[in-house]
Amino acid sequence: MSRLDRWFTHSSRTLARGTSRRGFLARLGTAVLGGAALPLLPIARPARATREPAPGEPDPGTPEGDPTGCGYWRYCAIDGFLASCCGGTHTSCPPGAEMSPITWLGTCRNPADGKEYVISYNDCCGKAECGRCFCARHEDDKPVYYSHKSNDINWCMGSESVVYNSTVAVVVGVATER
Ligand code: ABN
């Protein structure tokens, strides 16, 4: 056999091996199985983004948000120091302070269920001003000369002591109309 014949024989055998039905099926099988296994491989996922929620936006960690932050949904019409930063919670006054029986009412939307709630902003009285977490949001609030429509009032005036400390935000019902 001439050199040229040998080269042709070798080339055609190599080509035939590479294009056999079995070879094709083997490569197809590798592609299918390899593709199916891809989602099982470990993938680097970015760490959870951590940023301060915008006012009114729920905290990603809790469905309703953070009651120590001014953006918390119940504070949409508050004006005062947050009791939750002053030794109390968003619904209870700090120890030694008395909750005012006269309050300012607001209507805020709970982002967790999309419903509007009537919120009572009771002042905590009889203890020196807290001075932490001042929060003034004015949804539906009017200037102080409309005293019955302003949140800038010391509601401790109706309590045993007029000394203002902080404010809580208590849900008193579901709002049926705005
Ligand atoms: N309701 C909060 C508050 C207290 C004192 C003065 C203004 C507003």
Side-chain angles (χ1 to χ4, degrees):
M1 218 189 307
S2 75
R3 240 165 153 211
L4 193 61
D5 288 338
R6 275 204 303 275
W7 183 81
F8 265 117
T9 309
H10 177 75
S11 303
S12 0
R13 279 186 183 149
T14 307
L15 182 67
R17 222 178 292 129
T19 55
S20 72
R21 200 169 26 180
R22 215 176 330 155
F24 170 74
L25 288 175
R27 264 177 288 143
L28 182 69
T30 307
V32 170
L33 286 179
L38 265 182
L40 303 176
L41 294 174
I43 296 169
R45 297 178 201 281
R48 203 185 87 154
T50 49
R51 63 171 178 80
E52 281 296 303
E57 183 186 343
D59 187 304
T62 61
E64 290 193 354
D66 173 15
T68 60
C70 190
Y72 183 55
W73 71 275
R74 290 186 191 198
Y75 300 150
C76 78
I78 203 170
D79 183 328
F81 300 108
L82 304 181
S84 52
C85 293
C86 304
T89 70
H90 57 301
T91 55
S92 64
C93 286
E98 176 205 356
M99 201 183 282
S100 67
I102 306 172
T103 75
W104 156 253
L105 293 180
T107 305
C108 304
R109 187 179 164 277
N110 182 348
D113 62 11
K115 286 190 193 152
E116 302 271 349
Y117 290 87
V118 179
I119 312 290
S120 170
Y121 299 104
N122 301 61
D123 285 344
C124 300
C125 317
K127 195 175 179 182
E129 194 170 85
C130 163
R132 280 192 296 279
C133 300
F134 177 68
C135 180
R137 289 171 56 193
H138 300 284
E139 221 165 273
D140 289 344
D141 166 46
K142 295 283 181 290
V144 73
Y145 46 81
Y146 298 108
S147 57
H148 63 294
K149 288 189 173 173
S150 167
N151 64 5
D152 196 12
I153 303 281
N154 181 358
W155 297 108
C156 292
M157 286 182 305
S159 306
E160 212 157 275
S161 163
V162 294
V163 178
Y164 167 77
N165 172 263
S166 54
T167 306
V168 296
V170 181
V171 169
V172 290
V174 178
T176 49
E177 59 182 68
R178 201 90 202 164

